[in-house]
Amino acid sequence: AQSVTQPDIHITVSEGASLELRCNYSYGATPYLFWYVQSPGQGLQLLLKYFSGDTLVQGIKGFEAEFKRSQSSFNLRKPSVHWSDAAEYFCAVVPSGGYNKLIFGAGTRLAVHP
Amino acid sequence: SQTIHQWPATLVQPVGSPLSLECTVEGTSNPNLYWYRQAAGRGLQLLFYSVGIGQISSEVPQNLSASRPQDRQFILSSKKLLLSDSGFYLCARASGSNYGYTFGSGTRLTVV
């Protein structure tokens, strides 16, 4: 079945530590790929997106993501986490085939310890 | 501007009561519009999408319906709410060919 999987429901890291949030997709053709962040009480903010080209994508707030076709993955990374990064992170895809439907994963909630 | 207006921000409704959530959008005409629901621990689930006036596609079977009576108006409804309809409802639009999405500020619905 077509799906977007974020295997980690909750992740806790210490401030200053590195971060990697996992995302895998299951679609016949490579979809367009996105990462969004939702801070407490805030709306959804786009961190970055990948359509084609360079497989390492730079986003806002110091985030980057790497597309790996062989692994059907689009993992989000940040070298040094700040306390303000505590939020819920969603991987999302737009499958090929029309209507621009944005399909989200279940999300990963990130907690940051001081 | 691709602003989305959603109201109300919060809503508490008894089981069995009707529901109407409204979303209006600004900006370019004939946008693709979407309703999402965010339930605890379940991420953002696409409920309905619309590619034009009167055109509604449902993604999941449920107790809800949607309508698009005008180009920039998207309404989510229910005749009789269930407890399981509780959640955070987001309206969104797709903007342009670069797959930019704009989201409303959402409505938190609690069915009691």
Side-chain angles (χ1 to χ4, degrees):
Chain A
Q2 297 181 329
S3 65
V4 183
T5 303
Q6 293 182 247
D8 305 303
I9 298 174
H10 290 100
I11 283 184
T12 301
V13 299
S14 298
E15 192 169 16
S18 63
L19 172 70
E20 183 169 31
L21 303 182
R22 296 182 291 165
C23 174
N24 294 92
Y25 61 89
S26 175
Y27 288 87
T30 300
Y32 296 146
L33 299 159
F34 303 76
W35 274 100
Y36 284 85
V37 60
Q38 186 179 38
S39 300
Q42 302 294 315
L44 282 164
Q45 183 178 23
L46 177 67
L47 289 174
L48 46 77
K49 58 187 175 185
Y50 174 79
F51 293 166
S52 64
D54 191 346
T55 57
L56 187 62
V57 182
Q58 301 298 319
I60 62 171
K61 303 185 176 187
F63 285 93
E64 66 178 24
E66 186 172 13
F67 168 62
K68 292 186 177 180
R69 185 187 303 275
S70 61
Q71 299 178 21
S72 297
S73 69
F74 188 55
N75 293 348
L76 182 71
R77 301 194 294 242
K78 186 169 185 179
S80 178
V81 171
H82 188 262
W83 64 266
S84 60
D85 292 324
E88 188 150 25
Y89 292 80
F90 294 97
C91 180
V93 306
V94 173
S96 59
Y99 304 126
N100 295 351
K101 293 187 292 182
L102 187 62
I103 309 299
F104 287 87
T108 297
R109 184 165 296 278
L110 173 67
V112 180
H113 278 179
Chain B
S1 170
Q2 306 294 330
T3 305
I4 294 181
H5 302 280
Q6 263 190 266
W7 65 93
T10 59
L11 189 60
V12 180
Q13 291 284 97
V15 169
S17 64
L19 173 74
S20 180
L21 300 181
E22 188 159 343
C23 168
T24 60
V25 304
E26 298 177 6
T28 53
S29 61
N30 200 32
N32 285 3
L33 299 176
Y34 310 85
W35 275 112
Y36 289 89
R37 176 171 60 202
Q38 185 174 16
R42 295 195 61 186
L44 283 149
Q45 184 182 33
L46 179 61
L47 302 177
F48 300 96
Y49 67 92
S50 171
V51 299
I53 296 173
Q55 299 180 42
I56 306 294
S57 295
S58 173
E59 286 293 290
V60 293
Q62 61 203 311
N63 184 45
L64 302 168
S65 62
S67 62
R68 186 169 177 179
Q70 299 179 43
D71 182 48
R72 294 190 172 93
Q73 186 183 29
F74 202 24
I75 298 171
L76 184 69
S77 304
S78 174
K79 292 182 180 178
K80 290 185 177 182
L81 284 169
L82 306 172
L83 288 174
S84 57
D85 292 324
S86 293
F88 187 58
Y89 290 83
L90 277 167
C91 180
R93 68 172 290 166
S95 305
S97 60
N98 65 346
Y99 296 89
Y101 292 86
T102 305
F103 291 86
S105 54
T107 295
R108 184 160 302 282
L109 171 67
T110 303
V111 182
V112 296

